[in-house]
Amino acid sequence: MTNTNITNFRKNLFEYIEQAIEYNDIININTKHGNAVVMSEQDYRNLMETLYINSVPGLAEEIRTAASQPLEECSVYDENEEW
């Protein structure tokens, strides 16, 4: 995580945005009224997906269980299968 003040952020806006996108860096911007955070869109989407998965009871555990299952034991997708 990179920490900077608002004046420095304004002066180097392009560089900080590129740093967030290219290196997945989180930019913490300090101001006299509080702090703000800048992150890449991809990092934001990943964070939102993680929050969603963890908000559904039992879903995270199902994913962990499925990830540990050997591939040979997995079901084959059948588009005609009734749910």
Side-chain angles (χ1 to χ4, degrees):
M1 178 181 285
T2 299
N3 293 301
T4 188
N5 60 47
I6 190 66
T7 303
N8 192 34
F9 182 75
R10 274 194 301 255
K11 287 180 187 176
N12 301 296
L13 178 63
F14 181 78
E15 288 81 12
Y16 282 120
I17 298 297
E18 285 295 308
Q19 190 173 329
I21 294 168
E22 293 295 320
Y23 302 108
N24 294 52
D25 194 10
I26 306 298
I27 314 300
N28 183 37
I29 307 158
N30 305 307
T31 75
K32 62 183 176 181
H33 299 291
N35 297 342
V37 174
V38 173
M39 65 174 63
S40 71
E41 180 184 10
Q42 187 61 49
D43 283 343
Y44 174 78
R45 289 177 183 266
N46 292 343
L47 178 61
M48 292 297 105
E49 182 176 7
T50 300
L51 290 173
Y52 173 75
I53 287 171
N54 286 309
S55 73
V56 177
L59 182 58
E61 184 57 37
E62 285 184 40
I63 292 170
R64 282 190 287 275
T65 300
S68 66
Q69 183 179 17
L71 192 56
E72 301 79 37
E73 295 178 17
C74 293
S75 302
V76 176
Y77 173 72
D78 179 4
E79 65 182 46
N80 297 319
E81 180 179 356
E82 290 189 35
W83 289 73

